[in-house]
Amino acid sequence: MNTTTTTTTTHDPAGEVLDAVLTGAGRLLLSVFTLAWWAILFPMVSAPAGIAVAAGWFFGWLFGFGVAGVAVAGMVLWQVLSPQTFERWLTGRIRSRWLTWFRYRRRWTTMTTACGLSTRDGDRVLIPRLVSVQIGDALDTVRARMLPGHCPDTWIHRADHFAHGFGAQKAKVALVGPGLVEITFRRADSLADPVVVPFESMAGFNTIPSTRKAA
């Protein structure tokens, strides 16, 4: 005698709506926190933007656009008069933070798991902590905290995996402290482009005696 078992799956619309609302609220809070954090990190941009919005709110949109125009003109003037400080305090910091997230932080969990560097503690998955990232012109330096039980050689032998996974030309791993490893990523050859040195700046050029006779 054959017995047929039928399983009926019921959907709870209220539960699905609640899950969607909680997910949306979580993403909204994360976006607000990220925006606030960037505003604190770059007050030279967030302060003029906030003043322009406040001026538009209290005195009219035309006045707000005027304040925004003055702020933009001030930024352009800053970039023209002092490009070094503009790069150091604004564009360089924005570039560094963006590349830190884009190159390393967003893929750190995936890469360390794929390299076998994550461990399980019951139901939890432990990931090595990314301590710091320094972005350079040709070299990036990443420091990470090893998990208990990790061997430095395990990280050193993953150098090629890191280079391939993070899109670098080469990676080198070194132990720089108790449980602290440093991964150096080479992303460009700093000697690939020749540097032209003016002949006048060569050592000893100004000390060469003149051999031309006076007329």
Side-chain angles (χ1 to χ4, degrees), residues 10 26-27 35 42 44 49 53 85 96 101 121 127 149 167-168 191 199 203:
T10 59
R27 292 178 178 176
L35 183 62
F42 301 98
M44 65 287 293
V53 171
T85 59
S96 178
W101 174 83
D121 182 13
I127 303 296
L191 300 178
F199 185 69

Side-chain angles (χ1 to χ4, degrees), residues 62-108:
L62 191 61
F63 195 83
F65 275 117
V67 173
V70 171
V72 171
M75 298 287 286
V76 172
L77 187 63
W78 178 19
Q79 197 277 334
V80 171
L81 295 179
S82 183
Q84 294 84 5
T85 59
F86 189 82
E87 166 71 18
R88 182 188 309 156
W89 291 103
L90 188 60
T91 56
R93 293 174 61 197
I94 293 175
R95 173 183 175 274
S96 178
R97 288 196 169 271
W98 163 253
L99 291 180
T100 294
W101 174 83
F102 183 77
R103 289 177 177 175
Y104 302 107
R105 292 195 182 278
R106 71 186 182 98
R107 292 187 288 178
W108 182 253

Side-chain angles (χ1 to χ4, degrees), residues 7-31:
T7 302
T8 303
T9 303
T10 59
H11 296 279
D12 184 6
E16 295 178 355
V17 171
L18 181 60
D19 290 341
V21 170
L22 292 177
T23 301
R27 292 178 178 176
L28 179 60
L29 289 176
L30 180 60
S31 300

Side-chain angles (χ1 to χ4, degrees), residues 85-175:
T85 59
F86 189 82
E87 166 71 18
R88 182 188 309 156
W89 291 103
L90 188 60
T91 56
R93 293 174 61 197
I94 293 175
R95 173 183 175 274
S96 178
R97 288 196 169 271
W98 163 253
L99 291 180
T100 294
W101 174 83
F102 183 77
R103 289 177 177 175
Y104 302 107
R105 292 195 182 278
R106 71 186 182 98
R107 292 187 288 178
W108 182 253
T109 299
T110 302
M111 277 302 305
T112 51
T113 302
C115 291
L117 297 174
S118 62
T119 60
R120 278 193 167 274
D121 182 13
D123 295 334
R124 297 188 305 162
V125 177
L126 304 179
I127 303 296
R129 184 167 65 91
L130 184 59
V131 177
S132 65
V133 178
Q134 292 184 350
I135 303 294
D137 294 333
L139 300 176
D140 294 343
T141 303
V142 175
R143 289 194 172 189
R145 182 72 61 184
M146 295 191 300
L147 295 176
H150 274 183
C151 175
D153 288 341
T154 303
W155 284 76
I156 293 173
H157 293 158
R158 298 294 191 276
D160 292 338
H161 298 75
F162 288 138
H164 176 73
F166 289 107
Q169 295 180 358
K170 189 177 181 180
K172 180 181 179 181
V173 183
L175 184 67

